[in-house]
Amino acid sequence: LDMVYQIIRLACDNIQYPMRRVLDVSGHSNFPLNNGLPWHLYSVLKGLKVFGNTLTTLEESKLCMSYILELEVAGHWHWAIYVAHFLPNINDRTACIRELLCRHAFDGSNDEMNTMEEKLEFVRARLGVSDVLIAEAQSYKAKYEGNAKLEIAYLAAAGKWDRWHHVVVNNLVPKLVSDGEEGILLLVLNDARKAGLDTSTLLNWELRGGFYELYAATKDAINTMQYVDLPAVLSQLEELRQRLLDISSSEEELNLRTHAKCTSEIGAWVSTRLLELKQVVSPSVFRCGSILDLPMWEDRRKTLLTHEVLDFLK
């Protein structure tokens, strides 16, 4: 009854009477956090455009955010995104939608998978939220959970290539190099290029992602090719050696422990391969199969002097 009275007062004096009194929660509910009716009522009154006195931008934002929080706590985060579209400031609107998606975009603990898909479809089709924004939000969720591979996949889907490059180099590559699974990096890069990756736009690609790609490709070629092109392999190894020297002179890279460990392992591998290759008398040896499978190759590797490997990059 209090709210009805306030609406009557507003109709009698729609210029001077404050709108906030009409929307006072205590006028219709004993629960001070019940902001649903005030928000819906304000949407109707504002849409009629017959009242000269409306809420200020700050008051309107406060009303929207109160209702958004209420819906989110009740588990209706997809409807909270709907209300977020009515925030008066576009920057606040985008930030709020992104935060809601980050918290709930694939929360399997509270929702069954089919229900989650229905909510995401509602957000896409009914509310017009782009797949890019959803994928970007899901990447933050994956980052929070420590799932680098999933984060990389979502960043590629969102087209956030600078962040994608950062995560690949800092989170994925160190583990792949440590586990000897560099071939996975080639698959990741191949999928990223299909999704639209342009490496020419990435900062320090040649000394970071490009360097690791060259290493993975060179190692894959030596380990898997049946007929090795000796000059090409030597050229790739020499290019790796040169990039290692460039990286060693980069203060930014030296300050990153993960890169220091990776480049140290790669440097040892490159120096060993070069020393082995340069000891081969005849290139015809390489036509017998994979280089590392040759018995004579293993014998020569064992005879390498430690100081030659350590001093190779100096």
Side-chain angles (χ1 to χ4, degrees):
L1 294 178
D2 288 344
M3 180 170 282
V4 174
Y5 171 74
Q6 298 294 345
I7 294 174
I8 294 173
R9 287 286 304 272
L10 180 65
C12 294
D13 186 5
N14 61 17
I15 302 299
Q16 298 296 330
Y17 196 73
M19 178 71 74
R20 63 178 178 275
R21 290 190 181 178
V22 180
L23 304 175
D24 188 359
V25 176
S26 62
H28 74 92
S29 174
N30 294 325
F31 301 99
L33 299 180
N34 190 353
N35 294 280
L37 183 57
W39 182 84
H40 286 287
L41 177 61
Y42 179 70
S43 299
V44 172
L45 295 177
K46 185 179 180 181
L48 290 174
K49 297 181 180 180
V50 295
F51 299 98
N53 185 15
T54 59
L55 297 179
T56 65
T57 299
L58 181 60
E59 290 172 334
E60 188 174 345
S61 296
K62 182 179 178 181
L63 177 62
C64 284
M65 290 304 301
S66 297
Y67 191 35
I68 287 169
L69 177 60
E70 183 181 332
L71 289 169
E72 184 181 11
V73 170
H76 306 302
W77 60 268
H78 53 306
W79 282 111
I81 291 177
Y82 169 75
V83 177
H85 279 80
F86 292 88
L87 284 167
N89 184 285
I90 188 171
N91 293 328
D92 293 341
R93 192 184 313 155
T94 303
C96 182
I97 292 173
R98 180 181 287 110
E99 288 174 5
L100 286 166
L101 288 170
C102 284
R103 289 195 291 269
H104 303 285
F106 56 99
D107 186 4
S109 60
N110 297 326
D111 296 286
E112 294 296 334
M113 201 59 191
N114 58 345
T115 304
M116 176 56 61
E117 289 300 325
E118 290 174 3
K119 290 182 177 180
L120 287 176
E121 183 58 29
F122 171 83
V123 169
R124 291 190 188 97
R126 297 288 298 276
L127 305 185
V129 177
S130 68
D131 288 331
V132 170
L133 189 58
I134 293 174
E136 183 182 7
Q138 290 173 325
S139 73
Y140 283 110
K141 181 76 171 182
K143 178 181 180 180
Y144 173 77
E145 294 179 344
N147 192 333
K149 291 183 179 179
L150 196 58
E151 182 183 2
I152 288 167
Y154 283 131
L155 287 173
K160 302 297 180 180
W161 297 116
D162 286 328
R163 275 190 58 209
W164 176 92
H165 184 210
H166 178 81
V167 176
V168 167
V169 170
N170 291 282
N171 298 80
L172 182 63
V173 167
K175 187 176 187 307
L176 294 180
V177 172
S178 177
D179 296 343
E181 297 179 343
E182 298 84 355
I184 295 177
L185 177 61
L186 299 178
L187 298 177
V188 171
L189 289 168
N190 184 50
D191 291 341
R193 287 192 170 95
K194 290 180 180 178
L197 171 64
D198 181 6
T199 56
S200 64
T201 64
L202 300 180
L203 181 65
N204 292 330
W205 168 257
E206 292 301 321
L207 293 182
R208 304 189 75 186
F211 164 73
Y212 292 121
E213 180 183 22
L214 178 61
Y215 164 64
T218 304
K219 189 172 183 180
D220 181 68
I222 291 178
N223 290 339
T224 63
M225 289 181 65
Q226 292 299 314
Y227 297 95
V228 177
D229 183 351
L230 179 58
V233 171
L234 282 171
S235 176
Q236 285 181 301
L237 288 170
E238 288 289 355
E239 184 176 353
L240 274 172
R241 184 185 68 84
Q242 184 57 51
R243 290 200 195 181
L244 279 166
L245 294 174
D246 294 339
I247 290 173
S248 67
S249 63
S250 171
E251 293 184 1
E252 178 186 0
E253 298 298 328
L254 285 175
N255 290 332
L256 298 175
R257 292 185 178 181
T258 54
H259 295 295
K261 183 178 180 181
C262 284
T263 53
S264 176
E265 292 183 18
I266 294 173
W269 182 86
V270 170
S271 60
T272 303
R273 297 291 86 78
L274 274 172
L275 289 170
E276 289 175 339
L277 284 170
K278 290 177 179 180
Q279 290 183 55
V280 176
V281 178
S282 172
S284 61
V285 175
F286 296 95
R287 305 184 188 281
C288 301
S290 177
I291 294 177
L292 300 181
D293 290 337
L294 297 178
M296 60 165 290
W297 192 267
E298 183 65 19
D299 292 339
R300 283 188 175 146
R301 189 186 66 79
K302 291 178 181 178
T303 61
L304 291 175
L305 297 179
T306 303
H307 74 271
E308 290 183 287
V309 177
L310 296 177
D311 295 342
F312 178 77
L313 296 175
K314 294 183 178 180

